[in-house]
Amino acid sequence: MNLNLTRRRFIKGVIASGAAATTTGVWVAANGAARPAGAVERMIRININGQVRTVDVAPQETLASTLRYKLGLTGTKLGCNRGECGACTVLVDDVSTYACSVLTHSVKNGRIETVEGLESADGTLHPVQQAFVEELSPQCGYCTPGQIMAAVALLRENPNPTREEARQGLSGNICRCGSYDSYLDGVMRAAQIG
Amino acid sequence: MAYMHIGKDFVPPDVNGKVTGRIKYAEDYTREGMVYARLLTSPIPHARVVNIDASEALAMDGVFGLLTADDVYPDGEPQSTGLKVLTNEPTLVGEPILALAAIDEKTAETAISKISVTFERLPFVLDPLDSLAEGGPDAYNGGNTYVFRQGFASEKWSADQVASFRAGNEPTAEPQQTFAYGDLDAALAESAFVYESAFTTAGYPHQSMEPRSAMAYWENGKLYLHGTSQSLSALADGMASIVGVPQEDFVFINEATGGGFGQRARANSIPSMAIPAKLSQKINRPVMMRVTRDEETAIGGARQGFQGWIKCGFKADGTMAAADLYIISDNGGKGGGGDAYSAADCISILYQTEAVRFRGTSIGSNTGHRGAQRGPGQNQIAAIIAPILDKAAEELGIDRLKIRQINTPQNGDIGGASRTPFTSAYMPEALKMGAEQFNLEERMARSRKRNGSKVTGIGIGQGYHNAGRSGMDGIVRLTADGRLKVHNGVGNLGTYSYASTSRAAAEVLQMPWERVDIVTGRTDRNLPITSPQDGSNSIFTNTRTNYGAAMDLLGKMKEIAAMELGGDAADYDIGDERVFKAAAPSEGMTFAEIAQKGISLGGKFTGESDLPEELNDFTKISVSRLAGDSLMGIYHDAPHNNNPPGFTVTFTEIEMDVETGKYDIVDMVTIGDCGTVVHPQGLKNQLVGGAVWGIGLAGYERHLYDPQNGLPASTGYWQSKIPTMMDTPAKIKTGWVDLPDPENPVGARGIGEPAMGAVAAALASAISDSLEGHLFNAAPVTADMIINHVAGVTSEAVPLAQNNFRG
Ligand code: FES
Ligand code: FES
């Protein structure tokens, strides 16, 4: 496992994308219909959950906005919209990434995975999802998609983490309900059944 | 007792939606033609709106309309400290002044930037004691406090009185509120050890993970509101009247809520949801109002901070003879609460104190909205009192566990201001169980031992909350296909109590869980009224209602069987989804046959007549809509007597680094006494979730305001210091006493709030232990306070400062 890589690539990604988080956290990028006069907009093709989708993305639009408001993938949640909580965590080329803090244009060549892409076509849950059900890891559930994506990223790099490594791997995801213990139980179970 | 469902784990029906992302929170919905509202909020802490000029904004393309306080309150704003829908008299930064709807949020923001609002700036205050001092600014227009049924008032002390209090002395001014029992002077005179000190606890925001976004539309005269709530039907009941729509024309949709810790329990704690409802009515379009983290921080509620003074007396045998408290509680810019009273009540209950006096005054400050937050009052004081108990033990030469055992509440005891008996109380058993699981004796040998810069601290904590109301309603139905429908109005905030309390009905009818449907999520599914889901209530309250409704249904089922097969209802028994003659089990009817017969009979069997007289109006509407098409069980729960307590005890070991003021929580064991366990995994989640909150209260959480301009410096998670996974133990061990409470049909009592208080207390106790028993008399105790203490540096913070750094 290389957690430094995850963190470094995340930070580099944010810098490259021009830091999408605003100080006020206002969701202004949500609607393609509102275009500032003269702004450039492009139809882009992005690979989401293994499917190539064509979508009209404003230059300043965050990945979270594109997913939630353009593509209807509302499983990705917004808790803060400014890189504090991890509720919006998705995977970009297997790296857990805060979707609220990266511009869609900056990851358009990447392979994006959201919580909606984990279940198999026959409805079988991903081992992390299954383990989270069995351990009743979620409380309110609002941070859960982010916790799941962080856990999936961790287990791909390190299929048999220690509890301490799991704790480090999920440390970028806040849970206000305080279900950390149950999420860690879920990750450890997922490592067993995965 | 051998139960079929109670005490067994199960998969609540919403978990799959939570792990797949399919379950919808308010902001996940869209509606054809939906437009977007943005808020203009107050940029200054205390002001009066003199004029709003929105002409340029309203002339913009894509702008649909504006909502102001004048629209919401045509007869003037209510004169109280309560949170308003919108206001012309803001008393905190971030309070909503107006909302504007446009084709998208960018247009709405641009339009809002073109609105000119003229504010008259008014004096503001951040620290209640500054307001209390003669000549100090008042947070509200009309005073610095609010007296129930009387209105605003101004409470003032002399400058000397305030200075004396800040210096740590007993306040001398007349308090607003008091309670007392026992002979305090005699109790203090009998005490071998008396401890006296001023103390502070910080205010801090709730920060539920889901911001309070809401979407509303009107259709055929009905209002549909997608919102967020801890208490589905109880909140809907109040929200209908805030919006001004008859209950029967209001549909509240709330499948899931992204966390609720007190400020989504009642409509008046979340009136902002009325904004899209009112705006939608005005412009005749669906309106989505997304709330940002900053906005959530301002209006999402905050815990009341305390500026207090405490004096405790202990007899030579360790008995807590006296507790004397004087607390100034911070009402913030809006809201308030009874935290201070509850704090004194909690000491009386947890330590069975022989004489208690409480004096308290609530004073406003132009800071975040205040209201109940997980264990309001009980949990702040838990972190203050635990190190005092340790100090008493040390001074009197008594073991730290022993002093808690000497003072423990137990079965048959009474407690609190009202001197009410417990329904049951098993704190002694919880203390014993926890001490054994933690291996306390062996660990105590490590207490205060130093290894390099690390010192071991051992902590013991106890938490309490009154955990059960009654007087609510239940509805269950048996449909023609023999399935059981449990209508549950409890909100879905993550405790799974909407599901676990439904199992009481399944238990009565011995119904396989897969044959049970929980009907919830939106009020047009016809739900009974419940208590607001706050105060650790749901398990006690709604197992009573669901059990009662199922018993009513069972009685009707047996009556129908007797009508069909002869004999008396009492001759019948149930099992395997059949009603049969106890003496001749082969003679019976299936549940489906019983339901079909009941439907054909109608009348009382189908909810068309003979309803319980005391049924609440909200429930009556639901019953009238359901009547006729199923066999119904309907129940009004008569109020119970006595206090069903929730108790928790926690033991913890920390490793304090005295060079950095940071510590690792090496181990933690937390044990609940909450009657019979209904849902073990749900209880475990409450215990570990409460633990994280307790760690936040004792060690981290606070909010800060800039003293010059009154601007909040804490506007999100980071600055509020809510605990992350790295601040909490890698494993929290949990357990429970699991002894039944006699006033609940399945033996259950609540736990959510004491689960936090015990951990806050244990951590405060461990921090103190690691520093040679030093008492900070503060919560949180932060790293800078610890290193200042170790270095012998006196803090430059104003003593007892509130909403700012404290010493
Ligand atoms: S919503 Fe992206 S980090 Fe909080
Ligand atoms: S489960 Fe509620 S925020 Fe994590």
Side-chain angles (χ1 to χ4, degrees):
Chain A
M1 183 183 60
N2 186 345
L3 292 166
N4 292 337
L5 172 71
T6 308
R7 199 56 65 194
R8 192 166 60 244
R9 279 175 64 174
F10 163 69
I11 292 166
K12 276 172 68 180
V14 171
I15 294 167
S17 67
T22 65
T23 49
T24 57
V26 171
W27 284 290
V28 292
N31 306 285
R35 285 170 211 165
V40 181
E41 282 207 4
R42 312 205 328 231
M43 297 296 287
I44 59 170
R45 286 156 62 79
I46 43 178
N47 182 334
I48 294 179
N49 297 329
Q51 278 187 317
V52 176
R53 309 271 303 257
T54 303
V55 58
D56 178 9
V57 177
Q60 79 281 25
E61 187 170 312
T62 65
L63 179 58
S65 292
T66 308
L67 293 171
R68 288 183 55 80
Y69 308 133
K70 299 278 178 67
L71 298 170
L73 296 170
T74 53
T76 298
K77 299 298 177 202
L78 287 169
C80 65
N81 209 18
R82 57 185 184 198
E84 286 186 331
C85 72
C88 62
T89 304
V90 299
L91 305 190
V92 179
D93 294 333
D94 293 325
V95 177
S96 59
T97 302
Y98 289 169
C100 72
S101 300
V102 61
L103 297 183
T104 309
H105 280 286
S106 74
V107 296
K108 68 184 176 202
N109 297 319
R111 194 166 38 81
I112 297 159
E113 291 171 83
T114 72
V115 71
E116 289 92 343
L118 295 179
E119 214 177 345
S120 55
D122 67 358
T124 306
L125 295 178
H126 183 282
V128 171
Q129 294 173 311
Q130 183 59 36
F132 278 27
V133 169
E134 288 171 14
E135 292 291 343
L136 198 67
S137 303
Q139 291 191 33
C140 79
Y142 204 76
C143 72
T144 305
Q147 306 277 4
I148 287 177
M149 298 317 288
V152 169
L154 168 76
L155 293 173
R156 279 187 192 162
E157 277 200 47
N158 179 3
N160 287 301
T162 63
R163 197 172 175 95
E164 185 54 35
E165 286 168 339
R167 187 174 173 227
Q168 299 273 348
L170 268 64
S171 63
N173 293 72
I174 284 176
C175 174
R176 186 49 160 166
C177 297
S179 219
Y180 298 131
D181 194 90
S182 299
Y183 283 122
L184 288 180
D185 287 350
V187 176
M188 299 316 285
R189 181 183 282 257
Q192 278 170 14
I193 64 179
Chain B
M1 180 166 179
Y3 284 117
M4 184 173 179
H5 300 294
I6 301 299
K8 310 253 165 70
D9 280 326
F10 65 103
V11 179
D14 59 323
V15 181
N16 190 279
K18 286 176 176 171
V19 300
T20 56
R22 266 197 289 274
I23 198 163
K24 283 189 187 290
Y25 300 79
E27 206 237 301
D28 297 335
Y29 290 90
T30 54
R31 188 87 188 157
E32 187 74 30
M34 185 169 94
V35 300
Y36 297 84
R38 288 291 308 137
L39 297 171
L40 187 153
T41 62
S42 177
I44 39 184
H46 188 191
R48 190 176 279 117
V49 174
V50 177
N51 186 48
I52 297 173
D53 181 357
S55 48
E56 197 183 338
L58 289 170
M60 279 176 59
D61 276 353
V63 170
F64 296 109
L66 191 70
L67 192 76
T68 67
D70 294 341
D71 296 314
V72 179
Y73 305 110
D75 303 325
E77 293 180 32
Q79 288 304 300
S80 76
T81 57
L83 204 53
K84 313 285 181 350
V85 178
L86 294 167
T87 187
N88 287 326
E89 300 183 9
T91 48
L92 61 96
V93 173
E95 196 170 358
I97 306 294
L98 61 83
L100 178 139
I103 187 78
D104 55 62
E105 284 172 308
K106 184 165 186 139
T107 307
E109 277 292 323
T110 308
I112 279 180
S113 72
K114 295 183 190 307
I115 296 176
S116 167
V117 181
T118 310
F119 289 101
E120 176 194 351
R121 274 181 186 271
L122 297 170
F124 71 89
V125 64
L126 300 179
D127 185 324
L129 288 185
D130 289 343
S131 177
L132 209 41
E134 198 72 69
D138 288 345
Y140 314 128
N141 304 336
N144 61 2
T145 189
Y146 184 81
V147 182
F148 186 56
R149 293 213 174 98
Q150 290 175 37
F152 289 108
S154 209
E155 200 74 55
K156 295 292 168 187
W157 294 4
S158 73
D160 286 349
Q161 282 176 312
V162 171
S164 167
F165 181 28
R166 283 204 196 273
N169 300 312
E170 178 181 358
T172 51
E174 198 57 30
Q176 269 179 342
Q177 202 184 18
T178 62
F179 81 75
Y181 67 81
D183 186 337
L184 191 73
D185 291 338
L188 285 167
E190 277 179 64
S191 295
F193 172 69
V194 175
Y195 182 81
E196 174 186 341
S197 177
F199 67 92
T200 51
T201 68
Y204 59 87
H206 289 59
Q207 299 289 28
S208 293
M209 204 73 175
E210 178 198 11
R212 51 194 57 210
S213 301
M215 191 268 276
Y217 60 93
W218 295 74
E219 206 168 80
N220 298 326
K222 273 192 193 318
L223 168 62
Y224 294 81
L225 177 63
H226 294 264
T228 176
S229 154
Q230 296 172 224
S231 332
L232 185 53
S233 45
L235 188 135
D237 198 22
M239 186 53 68
S241 66
I242 288 180
V243 180
V245 58
Q247 190 55 255
E248 44 272 49
D249 294 332
F250 178 47
V251 181
F252 184 51
I253 303 151
N254 176 214
E255 295 279 357
T257 293
F261 308 99
Q263 287 305 290
R264 294 166 188 218
R266 297 155 195 253
N268 58 13
S269 58
I270 184 165
S272 56
M273 287 198 297
I275 296 171
K278 288 273 192 191
L279 202 44
S280 166
Q281 186 177 33
K282 189 170 173 181
I283 66 175
N284 200 21
R285 285 176 166 82
V287 174
M288 165 65 79
M289 180 181 74
R290 295 189 187 127
V291 168
T292 66
R293 180 53 45 189
D294 291 40
E295 291 162 353
E296 177 67 22
T297 306
I299 60 171
R303 185 178 286 276
Q304 287 196 307
F306 286 168
Q307 297 166 305
W309 173 89
I310 187 167
K311 187 175 191 178
C312 287
F314 296 82
K315 293 182 187 170
D317 66 0
T319 307
M320 191 192 276
D324 191 7
L325 288 105
Y326 199 124
I327 299 175
I328 304 300
S329 45
D330 185 354
N331 269 352
K334 284 283 183 289
D339 292 33
Y341 187 100
S342 299
D345 191 67
C346 176
I347 289 179
S348 160
I349 281 174
L350 273 181
Y351 304 110
Q352 294 293 298
T353 320
E354 291 177 0
V356 173
R357 175 171 62 167
F358 163 70
R359 292 166 289 171
T361 296
S362 298
I363 299 293
S365 66
N366 297 102
T367 61
H369 158 65
R370 304 309 164 106
Q373 183 189 93
R374 201 170 193 165
Q378 295 92 346
N379 289 352
Q380 290 100 306
I381 209 68
I384 300 298
I385 194 74
I388 296 176
L389 226 65
D390 294 335
K391 175 67 77 186
E394 188 177 352
E395 294 290 330
L396 298 171
I398 297 171
D399 176 272
R400 288 164 63 198
L401 174 63
K402 188 83 187 150
I403 199 166
R404 288 161 168 94
Q405 289 170 327
I406 288 166
N407 291 294
T408 184
Q410 55 193 316
N411 253 345
D413 280 347
I414 61 170
S418 59
R419 316 306 295 140
T420 307
F422 299 126
T423 53
S424 66
Y426 297 105
M427 174 69 88
E429 289 78 358
L431 283 165
K432 183 165 180 288
M433 185 182 279
E436 282 170 9
Q437 288 191 16
F438 185 67
N439 207 353
L440 180 67
E441 221 165 288
E442 189 189 310
R443 280 174 199 264
M444 274 299 187
R446 294 207 281 275
S447 155
R448 304 189 185 184
K449 290 272 171 354
R450 185 164 180 152
N451 180 9
S453 64
K454 307 279 178 65
V455 183
T456 295
I458 306 292
I460 310 175
Q462 294 155 282
Y464 157 75
H465 198 277
N466 172 318
R469 302 190 189 109
S470 50
M472 298 296 143
D473 300 335
I475 302 175
V476 297
R477 298 188 301 132
L478 197 64
T479 49
D481 56 0
R483 291 188 74 87
L484 176 65
K485 313 273 182 192
V486 182
H487 290 242
N488 203 321
V490 175
N492 183 7
L493 78 165
T495 62
Y496 300 104
S497 56
Y498 80 91
S500 53
T501 63
S502 297
R503 287 165 73 82
E507 190 70 53
V508 169
L509 298 170
Q510 296 172 35
M511 198 75 175
W513 190 234
E514 60 277 9
R515 299 276 294 151
V516 180
D517 303 308
I518 303 169
V519 183
T520 185
R522 45 190 295 159
T523 53
D524 57 357
R525 291 185 184 140
N526 302 315
L527 311 175
I529 195 75
T530 64
S531 155
Q533 183 161 221
D534 56 10
S536 301
N537 272 291
S538 298
I539 278 281
F540 184 88
T541 311
N542 300 296
T543 48
R544 282 172 64 108
T545 54
N546 290 328
Y547 188 96
M551 288 298 286
D552 182 53
L553 178 61
L554 179 61
K556 288 169 180 166
M557 290 163 70
K558 289 182 176 176
E559 199 178 327
I560 290 167
M563 284 161 68
E564 288 295 290
L565 303 175
D568 199 72
D571 302 335
Y572 285 81
D573 208 343
I574 57 164
D576 296 328
E577 298 174 69
R578 287 175 71 246
V579 185
F580 53 82
K581 284 185 176 162
S586 62
E587 288 181 48
M589 296 168 75
T590 65
F591 279 10
E593 288 165 347
I594 291 277
Q596 289 156 18
K597 184 65 196 170
I599 293 165
S600 72
L601 290 167
K604 73 171 184 181
F605 294 107
T606 53
E608 289 158 299
S609 66
D610 303 87
L611 305 183
E613 262 177 37
E614 311 83 356
L615 215 56
N616 289 283
D617 289 345
F618 186 98
T619 312
K620 280 183 189 157
I621 294 171
S622 296
V623 170
S624 71
R625 287 173 174 164
L626 291 165
D629 70 351
S630 56
L631 183 59
M632 285 177 80
I634 306 160
Y635 180 65
H636 175 76
D637 180 26
H640 76 281
N641 295 317
N642 302 340
N643 171 14
F647 286 128
T648 306
V649 302
T650 302
F651 295 83
T652 194
E653 176 177 339
I654 66 165
E655 202 170 66
M656 169 69 74
D657 188 333
V658 290
E659 287 179 359
T660 63
K662 302 272 290 178
Y663 47 84
D664 279 330
I665 302 174
V666 178
D667 204 0
M668 181 172 279
V669 172
T670 190
I671 308 286
D673 164 29
C674 49
T676 300
V677 175
V678 173
H679 179 202
Q681 283 186 323
L683 172 54
K684 181 248 180 177
N685 274 350
Q686 285 307 297
L687 289 170
V688 300
V692 173
W693 276 75
I695 290 165
L697 188 153
Y700 298 95
E701 296 190 56
R702 79 285 187 274
H703 58 199
L704 303 173
Y705 285 77
D706 147 39
Q708 187 169 332
N709 300 303
L711 301 178
S714 313
T715 58
Y717 299 118
W718 163 240
Q719 303 109 324
S720 309
K721 297 283 181 206
I722 74 176
T724 72
M725 210 172 264
M726 301 310 293
D727 300 316
T728 58
K731 184 69 206 158
I732 299 169
K733 295 167 190 143
T734 56
W736 32 83
V737 175
D738 203 10
L739 290 170
D741 186 278
E743 290 205 29
N744 180 278
V746 298
R749 300 192 244 107
I751 197 68
E753 284 156 305
M756 173 185 175
V759 171
L763 183 54
S765 162
I767 291 171
S768 171
D769 189 46
S770 71
L771 300 168
E772 299 289 335
H774 175 73
L775 270 69
F776 288 93
N777 297 305
V781 172
T782 54
D784 54 333
M785 292 161 72
I786 293 167
I787 47 178
N788 276 349
H789 163 70
V790 172
V793 173
T794 311
S795 166
E796 288 174 13
V798 175
L800 301 185
Q802 199 56 222
N803 305 310
N804 206 326
F805 292 103
R806 296 151 313 121

